[in-house]
Amino acid sequence: MFKTALRNVLAHKARLLMTVLAVMLGVAFVSGTLVFTDTLGNAFRNQSSKSYDKVAVAVSTYSSRDDTEREPGVSKQTLQKIGKLDGVASVTGRVDGFAGVAGTDGKLIGQGWANKGGNFAPGKDGKDPSYTFAQGSGPVRDDQIALDKDTADKGEYAVGDTVRVATNGPVKQYKLAGIFTTEDGQVNAGGSLVLFDTAVAQQLYLKPGYFQNVSVAAAPGADAQKILTEVEPLLPKDADAKTGKALADQEAKDIEQGLSGLNQMLLVFAAIALFVGIFLISNTFTMLVAQRTRELALMRAVGASRGQVRRSVLAEALVVGIVASAIGFALGVGLATGLQSAIGMFGAKMPAGPLIISATPVIAALAVGIFVTVVAALLPAWRAAKIPPVAAMNSVHGVATTKSLVVRNSIGGVITLAGAAAIVAGASAGKEGKMIIGFGAFLALVGIITLIPLLSRPVIALVRPALSKVFGVSGKLASQNAVRNPRRTGATASALAIGLTLVTGLSVLGVTLGTAIDKMTTDNIKADYMVQMAANGSGLDKDVLSALRKAPGVSAVSPNQSTHLKLGGFDEAVAGVTPGDIEKVINVEPVAGSLATLGQGQIAVDDKTAAKHGWKPGSKLPVEFSDKKKGQLTIGATFKENEFLATVLAPTTLVAPHDPQPYIPQIFVKTDGGATSANEKALVSALGDNPAISIMDQQDIRNEFGGMINTLLNIMYGLLAMALLIAVLGVVNTLAMSVFERQQEIGMLRAIGLDRGRVKSMIRLEAVVISLFGAVIGVGLGSFLAWAIGQTIKGSVPNYALVIPWDRIGIFLLLAALVGVLAAMWPARSAARLNMLTAIKTE
């Protein structure tokens, strides 16, 4: 029987091609993901190990120059004491922070969040062991810097050139003393690294004579653990000291955890692709079994048992699974290599390292491919085993009995109703109902897939009159053929339905959230411009605020300075603002009292916080400022909660004495005449044409807050494209098999006058009908799921209101129709080219 199975595989190579492709693509996704993450993890682990290779002990501190309570880091005197310990060969102090380099076009080079500056720390030989200089040397004067090679290349800088560098303060010009290479992780991520003289870096980022981090190199034969024990008593209280090996191990563990999220996400999409592939595989084997009814019945008549017939079909699936898995694994390795190269397209680069192919992706590729193929073939194998020997006496293919269809539809109906009930229950449960919705979604999807054959008849019947009227005989025949075998139509449409369910659900949620965020932005921000650092998380220098106030055309300026107070015994987030101007740049709605009291040194509290603590205008509360000084404040007003402001508003003059180095994430600016190119140019000039500072108008602000959602949606669309591609293969496969089965019928149609053009139209329209049927099911279910999930998150998203993106849904349906047209090209051409006399004689 195995020989028979192998012969059948070889005899039906063309018909099994789509199955091989479906399994191959799914396996490639799985193996490519595993190989890529293994390679990425190994490269970063090697980089981490290399960076700590010569480090016996590493010290980290968490103080800053703004910290008035603790020592701001490790002092130069402590560094000298560490250097005198037994077994210590050398000790290096490091200090770093944000630094942005302007290119020749005046714009920031590199990713803002990954741009940093540090200190050049030469040893006795005048070299810093962390950097290898390709040109020039390290900075040794306060007007010199060194740049990493990638940044120098992007900016077209050479040694001796003048380079504009921005930190949190004004832009300064430096002479480029040298260009170096580095394996720094942030540079590899697309950022830049500027090295300053140590004294300059300390002045910029910490405090003269202090370092944030220290690395200790051991003399040959010295014990790192012993050095650590002796170093720890010399350090400030907040310092954290570990051996280089312990840090390398911890970093390797962190890398592993960081990559596991990416790994799991990619594998989820691989699982979706394989799940969609199951329908294609099952459909293929079902059709092959139906076409070989007489052959299988004859085998039963000459003595083959049901078990042998079943095993014969499963053996065919096994062979197909092995072949597809092997090809898919090879394709996956290529995919992993391509992903390595693709990283560079996003401005990042991977650390050097070989492609890692471990046993795990090989075993996973074979196991997944074979398992999916064999499982998908189980039902067709079971049906094949039920073919009676008497079927060898006629050419009628076995059809589903009325009883079996009734049982199937009954089970499908119950499962679908249970799923819908669970989804509604989860939506009613609020933010705790996500798991219930997930379970309901699974049941609903399984139920609808089971019911799709039943649904196909009435749904396609609705479009039959239009098809007949517009396309004549071809349209009528296409609609009849689409429902001739409901199970086959259902299995083909199911693959598209799954893909469109996910795509539609993501689109509805994404557009709804994007609209809510956009409305939140337009409703709350009255300013013409928002000014912030290009580097995420970095604050603006207070000199920026002064410069903006002096800029021509500026009518109102208020910072959104971030600090905190202990107010009435409660820790509260505070926004330091400019009284009188804050209402002009942010929509602050007073609830009680007057915001004018901010100008009198009083504070304003949002209504929810005030209600929670029982505060009201006129309440006098004890306060402890950020520098631990105490006093008393009066609440002058309450205002409606605003997503862009903290719970408490205080005039900057009130918090300034307690916060000498304020953290200002944003400054809002109102200008005469609104946002114009002239006003923007005036602001840019006022800030010294600083490349590290971003000046955004209202549209830019909306893009800033809503752009991430669109980016995530595009990524999801890309990942789901694999599942949709497999669904397209399913349509091609179904039509090809259908054409093969209907050779005699197509020959008869040709003989009685249906020309080749109409035959092609018939096949194309059949594909379009099946594709649109699956798409409509997917769009409906996806929208329902998006509504349910939205109910669980709307409480935490201001202005949330479900938005159905009809334009995108229309595009999805058009793409589904296009899929049908493209998928029908080969089958339609094959059908049109059939010799009518030969086809008529075909059994």
Side-chain angles (χ1 to χ4, degrees):
M1 293 300 290
F2 182 76
K3 287 182 179 178
T4 303
L6 188 59
R7 178 187 61 79
N8 284 326
V9 170
L10 295 173
H12 302 122
K13 293 189 291 292
R15 295 182 227 175
L16 289 168
L17 177 62
M18 299 302 170
T19 295
V20 171
L21 284 172
V23 179
M24 180 185 76
L25 289 172
V27 169
F29 211 146
V30 172
S31 56
T33 294
L34 294 174
V35 171
F36 174 66
T37 51
D38 282 350
T39 300
L40 198 63
N42 180 71
F44 280 117
R45 281 191 295 272
N46 287 343
Q47 182 190 57
S48 172
S49 178
K50 185 179 177 182
S51 63
Y52 291 111
D53 189 33
K54 296 179 181 179
V55 177
V57 174
V59 180
S60 301
T61 64
Y62 306 98
S63 297
S64 70
R65 63 177 179 173
D66 305 335
D67 201 326
T68 56
E69 294 182 4
R70 297 174 294 182
E71 203 172 2
V74 178
S75 68
K76 185 178 179 180
Q77 291 75 17
T78 302
L79 213 66
Q80 291 170 345
K81 290 178 184 178
I82 294 172
K84 294 177 182 178
L85 295 174
D86 290 339
V88 173
S90 65
V91 58
T92 305
R94 299 288 180 191
V95 60
D96 58 54
F98 170 75
V101 180
T104 52
D105 58 356
K107 295 182 179 178
L108 188 70
I109 296 176
Q111 304 291 336
W113 62 270
N115 293 335
K116 72 174 186 177
N119 64 304
F120 176 66
K124 294 177 182 178
D125 59 356
K127 296 180 179 179
D128 188 327
S130 296
Y131 309 105
T132 302
F133 278 81
Q135 298 175 39
S137 59
V140 292
R141 299 201 311 265
D142 59 5
D143 65 341
Q144 292 181 330
I145 61 164
L147 289 178
D148 68 275
K149 190 175 185 305
D150 286 347
T151 302
D153 289 344
K154 290 173 185 174
E156 299 179 357
Y157 288 121
V159 172
D161 287 350
T162 299
V163 182
R164 297 173 68 246
V165 180
T167 53
N168 288 24
V171 179
K172 293 183 180 179
Q173 294 186 342
Y174 298 87
K175 287 289 183 183
L176 183 59
I179 297 171
F180 59 89
T181 57
T182 177
E183 285 297 320
D184 184 277
Q186 287 184 243
V187 174
N188 282 337
S192 63
L193 176 58
V194 182
L195 293 182
F196 300 93
D197 177 61
T198 295
V200 174
Q202 288 175 330
Q203 183 67 42
L204 284 171
Y205 301 125
L206 200 59
K207 189 177 180 181
Y210 283 90
F211 299 92
Q212 290 164 319
N213 306 304
V214 176
S215 59
V216 182
D223 181 20
Q225 191 61 46
K226 181 175 179 295
I227 295 174
L228 175 64
T229 305
E230 294 178 352
V231 166
E232 285 181 319
L234 303 175
L235 301 175
K237 290 181 181 179
D238 75 317
D240 180 26
K242 291 181 180 178
T243 63
K245 185 178 183 307
L247 272 175
D249 291 343
Q250 180 61 47
E251 199 163 298
K253 186 178 179 182
D254 292 342
I255 289 167
E256 199 77 33
Q257 290 176 345
L259 289 175
S260 67
L262 172 66
N263 205 19
Q264 289 170 9
M265 183 185 76
L266 292 175
L267 288 176
V268 164
F269 285 96
I272 292 169
L274 287 165
F275 183 60
V276 170
I278 285 175
F279 293 93
L280 190 158
I281 299 163
S282 180
N283 217 11
T284 300
F285 279 97
T286 297
M287 289 186 282
L288 287 176
V289 166
Q291 291 167 9
R292 288 159 46 200
T293 299
R294 293 184 65 184
E295 176 189 329
L296 293 171
L298 188 59
M299 290 173 66
R300 293 277 286 115
V302 297
S305 66
R306 286 190 173 185
Q308 286 178 309
V309 171
R310 188 181 303 114
R311 287 192 295 273
S312 173
V313 177
L314 292 177
E316 291 180 46
L318 179 64
V319 172
V320 171
I322 292 172
V323 172
S325 298
I327 299 172
F329 176 75
L331 188 62
V333 172
L335 179 64
T337 306
L339 286 172
Q340 277 185 281
S341 302
I343 288 178
M345 295 172 62
F346 296 95
K349 64 178 181 179
M350 271 183 62
L355 192 70
I356 302 299
I357 303 176
S358 62
T360 302
V362 178
I363 295 170
L366 289 172
V368 167
I370 293 170
F371 175 77
V372 167
T373 311
V374 171
V375 166
L378 280 174
L379 187 58
W382 178 74
R383 288 177 180 156
K386 291 181 67 177
I387 295 174
V390 72
M393 298 171 63
N394 59 65
S395 61
V396 178
H397 296 163
V399 294
T401 62
T402 303
K403 180 182 177 182
S404 70
L405 288 174
V406 169
V407 171
R408 174 181 176 138
N409 294 335
S410 300
I411 294 172
V414 170
I415 295 174
T416 303
L417 287 174
I423 292 170
V424 172
S428 303
K431 59 183 178 181
E432 305 299 326
K434 292 186 180 69
M435 294 297 292
I436 302 172
I437 292 173
F439 177 68
F442 174 75
L443 288 180
L445 200 57
V446 171
I448 286 177
I449 288 169
T450 308
L451 281 176
I452 272 184
L454 174 67
L455 296 172
S456 64
R457 289 186 180 277
V459 172
I460 293 175
L462 290 174
V463 299
R464 185 179 297 166
L467 286 173
S468 300
K469 186 175 181 180
V470 176
F471 299 99
V473 175
S474 296
K476 184 176 182 180
L477 290 171
S479 59
Q480 290 174 344
N481 289 332
V483 293
R484 175 183 292 184
N485 191 327
R487 276 182 173 160
R488 182 186 301 170
T489 299
T492 305
S494 294
L496 274 171
I498 294 168
L500 265 297
T501 295
L502 297 170
V503 169
T504 303
L506 287 170
S507 296
V508 172
L509 272 177
V511 171
T512 299
L513 288 172
T515 302
I517 291 171
D518 192 62
K519 190 173 190 302
M520 178 180 72
T521 304
T522 53
D523 285 357
N524 289 319
I525 296 181
K526 296 160 72 175
D528 297 312
Y529 297 100
M530 182 174 78
V531 179
Q532 66 178 23
M533 290 295 288
N536 294 347
S538 296
L540 293 159
D541 191 273
K542 54 187 177 182
D543 291 341
V544 173
L545 187 60
S546 302
L548 288 171
R549 284 183 174 142
K550 296 174 184 175
V554 171
S555 57
V557 177
S558 178
N560 186 16
Q561 182 177 326
S562 179
T563 185
H564 68 277
L565 301 174
K566 196 164 188 178
L567 194 63
F570 300 97
D571 285 320
E572 299 292 346
V574 178
V577 300
T578 303
D581 281 2
I582 185 63
E583 305 98 309
K584 298 176 184 177
V585 294
I586 297 288
N587 187 20
V588 187
E589 297 182 34
V591 174
S594 171
L595 291 172
T597 55
L598 288 171
Q600 302 165 16
Q602 297 183 8
I603 60 173
V605 182
D606 77 53
D607 53 347
K608 290 186 179 178
T609 303
K612 179 181 175 182
H613 299 312
W615 299 339
K616 57 186 178 181
S619 297
K620 297 183 182 296
L621 304 173
V623 62
E624 183 178 294
F625 292 95
S626 57
D627 59 357
K628 303 301 180 184
K629 291 182 180 179
K630 297 182 180 180
Q632 180 177 280
L633 292 176
T634 302
I635 296 177
T638 58
F639 63 93
K640 187 177 179 182
E641 184 183 37
N642 188 299
E643 290 75 24
F644 286 89
L645 296 171
T647 54
V648 177
L649 300 183
T652 51
T653 52
L654 178 68
V655 296
H658 309 281
D659 205 356
Q661 295 293 336
Y663 174 59
I664 307 175
Q666 301 105 16
I667 297 175
F668 294 97
V669 182
K670 190 79 173 174
T671 56
D672 297 329
T676 64
S677 58
N679 282 335
E680 184 174 346
K681 188 175 180 180
L683 296 181
V684 170
S685 298
L687 297 176
D689 199 15
N690 192 322
I693 296 179
S694 173
I695 300 174
M696 297 184 286
D697 60 20
Q698 286 227 352
Q699 186 58 51
D700 293 329
I701 297 170
R702 292 162 71 182
N703 294 340
E704 172 83 3
F705 290 100
M708 188 175 292
I709 292 176
N710 289 328
T711 300
L712 287 173
L713 271 180
N714 291 333
I715 291 171
M716 296 299 179
Y717 290 158
L719 292 171
L720 286 170
M722 184 72 75
L724 292 173
L725 177 58
I726 292 173
V728 172
L729 293 177
V731 178
V732 175
N733 203 34
T734 296
L735 292 172
M737 292 289 193
S738 179
V739 168
F740 178 82
E741 284 182 0
R742 289 154 44 199
Q743 287 187 61
Q744 189 178 55
E745 175 191 318
I746 292 170
M748 289 293 294
L749 290 170
R750 291 277 287 112
I752 60 174
L754 197 68
D755 59 31
R756 287 185 175 183
R758 290 183 178 178
V759 169
K760 287 182 179 180
S761 296
M762 176 182 72
I763 303 298
R764 288 195 199 102
L765 289 170
E766 184 179 344
V768 170
V769 166
I770 294 173
S771 298
L772 283 175
F773 171 56
V776 168
I777 296 292
V779 165
L781 183 57
S783 300
F784 179 49
L785 288 174
W787 165 81
I789 295 170
Q791 295 299 110
T792 68
I793 63 174
K794 69 177 184 179
S796 56
V797 179
N799 304 309
Y800 183 91
L802 186 70
V803 177
I804 303 296
W806 296 110
D807 53 343
R808 295 196 188 193
I809 287 175
I811 290 171
F812 296 156
L813 293 176
L814 284 173
L815 287 175
L818 180 62
V819 161
V821 172
L822 294 175
M825 287 179 67
W826 173 47
R829 185 168 178 269
S830 299
R833 293 179 64 186
L834 283 175
N835 183 291
M836 66 181 74
L837 295 178
T838 304
I840 290 170
K841 292 188 292 182
T842 302
E843 292 190 10

